[in-house]
PDB file of all heavy atoms in Angstrom:
ATOM      1  N   LEU A   1       4.180  18.443 -12.589  1.00 67.00           N
ATOM      2  CA  LEU A   1       4.889  17.935 -11.414  1.00 67.00           C
ATOM      3  C   LEU A   1       4.954  16.418 -11.416  1.00 67.00           C
ATOM      4  O   LEU A   1       5.963  15.829 -11.013  1.00 67.00           O
ATOM      5  CB  LEU A   1       4.217  18.439 -10.139  1.00 67.00           C
ATOM      6  CG  LEU A   1       4.344  19.932  -9.867  1.00 67.00           C
ATOM      7  CD1 LEU A   1       3.519  20.318  -8.651  1.00 67.00           C
ATOM      8  CD2 LEU A   1       5.794  20.330  -9.692  1.00 67.00           C
ATOM      9  N   ALA A   2       3.897  15.769 -11.878  1.00 67.00           N
ATOM     10  CA  ALA A   2       3.875  14.301 -11.894  1.00 67.00           C
ATOM     11  C   ALA A   2       4.872  13.739 -12.907  1.00 67.00           C
ATOM     12  O   ALA A   2       5.532  12.732 -12.634  1.00 67.00           O
ATOM     13  CB  ALA A   2       2.476  13.802 -12.202  1.00 67.00           C
ATOM     14  N   ILE A   3       5.006  14.375 -14.067  1.00 64.00           N
ATOM     15  CA  ILE A   3       5.934  13.836 -15.061  1.00 64.00           C
ATOM     16  C   ILE A   3       7.381  14.174 -14.729  1.00 64.00           C
ATOM     17  O   ILE A   3       8.294  13.578 -15.295  1.00 64.00           O
ATOM     18  CB  ILE A   3       5.589  14.323 -16.489  1.00 64.00           C
ATOM     19  CG1 ILE A   3       5.741  15.828 -16.609  1.00 64.00           C
ATOM     20  CG2 ILE A   3       4.223  13.858 -16.898  1.00 64.00           C
ATOM     21  CD1 ILE A   3       5.629  16.345 -18.020  1.00 64.00           C
ATOM     22  N   SER A   4       7.614  15.100 -13.819  1.00 62.00           N
ATOM     23  CA  SER A   4       8.987  15.447 -13.462  1.00 62.00           C
ATOM     24  C   SER A   4       9.491  14.629 -12.274  1.00 62.00           C
ATOM     25  O   SER A   4      10.649  14.762 -11.896  1.00 62.00           O
ATOM     26  CB  SER A   4       9.105  16.935 -13.157  1.00 62.00           C
ATOM     27  OG  SER A   4       8.324  17.263 -12.026  1.00 62.00           O
ATOM     28  N   LEU A   5       8.647  13.790 -11.682  1.00 58.00           N
ATOM     29  CA  LEU A   5       9.086  12.936 -10.574  1.00 58.00           C
ATOM     30  C   LEU A   5      10.002  11.827 -11.083  1.00 58.00           C
ATOM     31  O   LEU A   5       9.957  11.470 -12.256  1.00 58.00           O
ATOM     32  CB  LEU A   5       7.872  12.335  -9.864  1.00 58.00           C
ATOM     33  CG  LEU A   5       7.061  13.310  -9.024  1.00 58.00           C
ATOM     34  CD1 LEU A   5       5.798  12.617  -8.520  1.00 58.00           C
ATOM     35  CD2 LEU A   5       7.865  13.825  -7.854  1.00 58.00           C
ATOM     36  N   PRO A   6      10.822  11.256 -10.200  1.00 53.00           N
ATOM     37  CA  PRO A   6      11.770  10.219 -10.622  1.00 53.00           C
ATOM     38  C   PRO A   6      11.082   8.899 -10.929  1.00 53.00           C
ATOM     39  O   PRO A   6      10.912   8.051 -10.084  1.00 53.00           O
ATOM     40  CB  PRO A   6      12.705  10.094  -9.426  1.00 53.00           C
ATOM     41  CG  PRO A   6      11.897  10.546  -8.271  1.00 53.00           C
ATOM     42  CD  PRO A   6      10.962  11.591  -8.790  1.00 53.00           C
ATOM     43  N   SER A   7      10.664   8.701 -12.149  1.00 51.00           N
ATOM     44  CA  SER A   7       9.920   7.507 -12.506  1.00 51.00           C
ATOM     45  C   SER A   7      10.817   6.352 -12.899  1.00 51.00           C
ATOM     46  O   SER A   7      10.358   5.230 -13.039  1.00 51.00           O
ATOM     47  CB  SER A   7       8.962   7.808 -13.650  1.00 51.00           C
ATOM     48  OG  SER A   7       9.686   8.210 -14.778  1.00 51.00           O
ATOM     49  N   GLY A   8      12.085   6.587 -13.141  1.00 48.00           N
ATOM     50  CA  GLY A   8      12.997   5.509 -13.478  1.00 48.00           C
ATOM     51  C   GLY A   8      13.197   5.315 -14.957  1.00 48.00           C
ATOM     52  O   GLY A   8      14.157   4.702 -15.371  1.00 48.00           O
ATOM     53  N   ASN A   9      12.326   5.805 -15.781  1.00 50.00           N
ATOM     54  CA  ASN A   9      12.490   5.661 -17.216  1.00 50.00           C
ATOM     55  C   ASN A   9      12.524   7.034 -17.866  1.00 50.00           C
ATOM     56  O   ASN A   9      11.856   7.291 -18.835  1.00 50.00           O
ATOM     57  CB  ASN A   9      11.390   4.794 -17.815  1.00 50.00           C
ATOM     58  CG  ASN A   9      10.016   5.256 -17.409  1.00 50.00           C
ATOM     59  OD1 ASN A   9       9.877   6.272 -16.744  1.00 50.00           O
ATOM     60  ND2 ASN A   9       9.007   4.521 -17.793  1.00 50.00           N
ATOM     61  N   ALA A  10      13.285   7.910 -17.309  1.00 48.00           N
ATOM     62  CA  ALA A  10      13.391   9.267 -17.813  1.00 48.00           C
ATOM     63  C   ALA A  10      14.198   9.284 -19.118  1.00 48.00           C
ATOM     64  O   ALA A  10      14.874   8.318 -19.466  1.00 48.00           O
ATOM     65  CB  ALA A  10      14.058  10.175 -16.783  1.00 48.00           C
ATOM     66  N   MET A  11      14.142  10.384 -19.804  1.00 47.00           N
ATOM     67  CA  MET A  11      14.761  10.483 -21.118  1.00 47.00           C
ATOM     68  C   MET A  11      16.282  10.416 -21.059  1.00 47.00           C
ATOM     69  O   MET A  11      16.911   9.851 -21.933  1.00 47.00           O
ATOM     70  CB  MET A  11      14.320  11.790 -21.754  1.00 47.00           C
ATOM     71  CG  MET A  11      14.739  11.976 -23.158  1.00 47.00           C
ATOM     72  SD  MET A  11      14.009  13.491 -23.742  1.00 47.00           S
ATOM     73  CE  MET A  11      14.502  13.493 -25.396  1.00 47.00           C
ATOM     74  N   PHE A  12      16.890  10.967 -20.036  1.00 49.00           N
ATOM     75  CA  PHE A  12      18.340  11.029 -19.962  1.00 49.00           C
ATOM     76  C   PHE A  12      18.912  10.126 -18.888  1.00 49.00           C
ATOM     77  O   PHE A  12      19.975  10.387 -18.355  1.00 49.00           O
ATOM     78  CB  PHE A  12      18.793  12.472 -19.719  1.00 49.00           C
ATOM     79  CG  PHE A  12      18.393  13.379 -20.834  1.00 49.00           C
ATOM     80  CD1 PHE A  12      17.410  14.319 -20.659  1.00 49.00           C
ATOM     81  CD2 PHE A  12      18.980  13.266 -22.078  1.00 49.00           C
ATOM     82  CE1 PHE A  12      17.028  15.152 -21.689  1.00 49.00           C
ATOM     83  CE2 PHE A  12      18.610  14.087 -23.116  1.00 49.00           C
ATOM     84  CZ  PHE A  12      17.635  15.035 -22.917  1.00 49.00           C
ATOM     85  N   GLY A  13      18.221   9.054 -18.527  1.00 53.00           N
ATOM     86  CA  GLY A  13      18.750   8.097 -17.567  1.00 53.00           C
ATOM     87  C   GLY A  13      18.676   8.585 -16.137  1.00 53.00           C
ATOM     88  O   GLY A  13      19.641   9.108 -15.604  1.00 53.00           O
ATOM     89  N   ASN A  14      17.553   8.419 -15.510  1.00 59.00           N
ATOM     90  CA  ASN A  14      17.350   8.839 -14.134  1.00 59.00           C
ATOM     91  C   ASN A  14      17.951   7.808 -13.192  1.00 59.00           C
ATOM     92  O   ASN A  14      17.738   6.620 -13.348  1.00 59.00           O
ATOM     93  CB  ASN A  14      15.852   8.989 -13.871  1.00 59.00           C
ATOM     94  CG  ASN A  14      15.554   9.658 -12.563  1.00 59.00           C
ATOM     95  OD1 ASN A  14      16.444   9.885 -11.763  1.00 59.00           O
ATOM     96  ND2 ASN A  14      14.306   9.973 -12.345  1.00 59.00           N
ATOM     97  N   ASP A  15      18.701   8.263 -12.195  1.00 65.00           N
ATOM     98  CA  ASP A  15      19.322   7.358 -11.234  1.00 65.00           C
ATOM     99  C   ASP A  15      18.492   7.174  -9.977  1.00 65.00           C
ATOM    100  O   ASP A  15      18.935   6.524  -9.042  1.00 65.00           O
ATOM    101  CB  ASP A  15      20.712   7.879 -10.835  1.00 65.00           C
ATOM    102  CG  ASP A  15      21.699   7.758 -11.973  1.00 65.00           C
ATOM    103  OD1 ASP A  15      21.502   6.894 -12.844  1.00 65.00           O
ATOM    104  OD2 ASP A  15      22.658   8.525 -11.989  1.00 65.00           O
ATOM    105  N   GLY A  16      17.322   7.740  -9.915  1.00 67.00           N
ATOM    106  CA  GLY A  16      16.472   7.595  -8.740  1.00 67.00           C
ATOM    107  C   GLY A  16      16.828   8.586  -7.655  1.00 67.00           C
ATOM    108  O   GLY A  16      17.671   9.455  -7.805  1.00 67.00           O
ATOM    109  N   VAL A  17      16.160   8.439  -6.531  1.00 69.00           N
ATOM    110  CA  VAL A  17      16.319   9.339  -5.405  1.00 69.00           C
ATOM    111  C   VAL A  17      16.993   8.591  -4.272  1.00 69.00           C
ATOM    112  O   VAL A  17      16.669   7.441  -4.005  1.00 69.00           O
ATOM    113  CB  VAL A  17      14.933   9.862  -4.946  1.00 69.00           C
ATOM    114  CG1 VAL A  17      15.076  10.769  -3.760  1.00 69.00           C
ATOM    115  CG2 VAL A  17      14.232  10.566  -6.075  1.00 69.00           C
ATOM    116  N   GLU A  18      17.936   9.240  -3.618  1.00 73.00           N
ATOM    117  CA  GLU A  18      18.608   8.624  -2.477  1.00 73.00           C
ATOM    118  C   GLU A  18      17.855   8.969  -1.202  1.00 73.00           C
ATOM    119  O   GLU A  18      17.798  10.121  -0.805  1.00 73.00           O
ATOM    120  CB  GLU A  18      20.045   9.119  -2.372  1.00 73.00           C
ATOM    121  CG  GLU A  18      20.931   8.661  -3.494  1.00 73.00           C
ATOM    122  CD  GLU A  18      22.369   9.132  -3.317  1.00 73.00           C
ATOM    123  OE1 GLU A  18      22.708   9.591  -2.216  1.00 73.00           O
ATOM    124  OE2 GLU A  18      23.113   9.047  -4.283  1.00 73.00           O
ATOM    125  N   ILE A  19      17.260   7.959  -0.582  1.00 76.00           N
ATOM    126  CA  ILE A  19      16.602   8.102   0.719  1.00 76.00           C
ATOM    127  C   ILE A  19      17.313   7.143   1.661  1.00 76.00           C
ATOM    128  O   ILE A  19      17.588   5.998   1.304  1.00 76.00           O
ATOM    129  CB  ILE A  19      15.101   7.806   0.614  1.00 76.00           C
ATOM    130  CG1 ILE A  19      14.437   8.877  -0.257  1.00 76.00           C
ATOM    131  CG2 ILE A  19      14.453   7.760   1.982  1.00 76.00           C
ATOM    132  CD1 ILE A  19      12.958   8.708  -0.457  1.00 76.00           C
ATOM    133  N   ARG A  20      17.586   7.598   2.848  1.00 80.00           N
ATOM    134  CA  ARG A  20      18.457   6.873   3.769  1.00 80.00           C
ATOM    135  C   ARG A  20      18.021   5.425   3.988  1.00 80.00           C
ATOM    136  O   ARG A  20      18.835   4.518   3.978  1.00 80.00           O
ATOM    137  CB  ARG A  20      18.514   7.618   5.097  1.00 80.00           C
ATOM    138  CG  ARG A  20      19.473   6.994   6.067  1.00 80.00           C
ATOM    139  CD  ARG A  20      19.585   7.804   7.334  1.00 80.00           C
ATOM    140  NE  ARG A  20      20.527   7.182   8.239  1.00 80.00           N
ATOM    141  CZ  ARG A  20      20.645   7.493   9.488  1.00 80.00           C
ATOM    142  NH1 ARG A  20      19.904   8.450   9.992  1.00 80.00           N
ATOM    143  NH2 ARG A  20      21.525   6.893  10.238  1.00 80.00           N
ATOM    144  N   GLY A  21      16.736   5.190   4.183  1.00 80.00           N
ATOM    145  CA  GLY A  21      16.263   3.830   4.412  1.00 80.00           C
ATOM    146  C   GLY A  21      16.506   2.910   3.239  1.00 80.00           C
ATOM    147  O   GLY A  21      16.696   1.702   3.397  1.00 80.00           O
ATOM    148  N   CYS A  22      16.509   3.464   2.062  1.00 84.00           N
ATOM    149  CA  CYS A  22      16.737   2.664   0.859  1.00 84.00           C
ATOM    150  C   CYS A  22      18.223   2.483   0.577  1.00 84.00           C
ATOM    151  O   CYS A  22      18.637   1.430   0.099  1.00 84.00           O
ATOM    152  CB  CYS A  22      16.044   3.315  -0.324  1.00 84.00           C
ATOM    153  SG  CYS A  22      16.039   2.308  -1.804  1.00 84.00           S
ATOM    154  N   THR A  23      19.033   3.485   0.856  1.00 80.00           N
ATOM    155  CA  THR A  23      20.465   3.349   0.603  1.00 80.00           C
ATOM    156  C   THR A  23      21.106   2.349   1.562  1.00 80.00           C
ATOM    157  O   THR A  23      22.134   1.771   1.240  1.00 80.00           O
ATOM    158  CB  THR A  23      21.180   4.702   0.706  1.00 80.00           C
ATOM    159  OG1 THR A  23      20.894   5.299   1.963  1.00 80.00           O
ATOM    160  CG2 THR A  23      20.748   5.630  -0.403  1.00 80.00           C
ATOM    161  N   VAL A  24      20.492   2.133   2.728  1.00 85.00           N
ATOM    162  CA  VAL A  24      20.978   1.093   3.630  1.00 85.00           C
ATOM    163  C   VAL A  24      20.814  -0.274   2.971  1.00 85.00           C
ATOM    164  O   VAL A  24      21.646  -1.165   3.146  1.00 85.00           O
ATOM    165  CB  VAL A  24      20.217   1.152   4.981  1.00 85.00           C
ATOM    166  CG1 VAL A  24      20.503  -0.053   5.837  1.00 85.00           C
ATOM    167  CG2 VAL A  24      20.580   2.421   5.724  1.00 85.00           C
ATOM    168  N   LEU A  25      19.766  -0.428   2.158  1.00 84.00           N
ATOM    169  CA  LEU A  25      19.523  -1.672   1.427  1.00 84.00           C
ATOM    170  C   LEU A  25      20.248  -1.694   0.086  1.00 84.00           C
ATOM    171  O   LEU A  25      19.990  -2.572  -0.732  1.00 84.00           O
ATOM    172  CB  LEU A  25      18.023  -1.842   1.183  1.00 84.00           C
ATOM    173  CG  LEU A  25      17.135  -1.971   2.414  1.00 84.00           C
ATOM    174  CD1 LEU A  25      15.672  -1.934   2.011  1.00 84.00           C
ATOM    175  CD2 LEU A  25      17.450  -3.246   3.159  1.00 84.00           C
TER     176      LEU A  25
END
């Protein structure tokens, strides 16, 4: 579960997670 989280340096280019408070920024 820990290695499947969005770490940003995934093998196929992870775009991260969209959370409302962050997308406002």
Side-chain angles (χ1 to χ4, degrees):
L1 291 174
I3 64 171
S4 64
L5 288 173
S7 62
N9 51 4
M11 187 175 184
F12 298 109
N14 191 352
D15 290 335
V17 179
E18 292 182 13
I19 294 180
R20 184 176 181 194
C22 189
T23 54
V24 169
L25 297 172

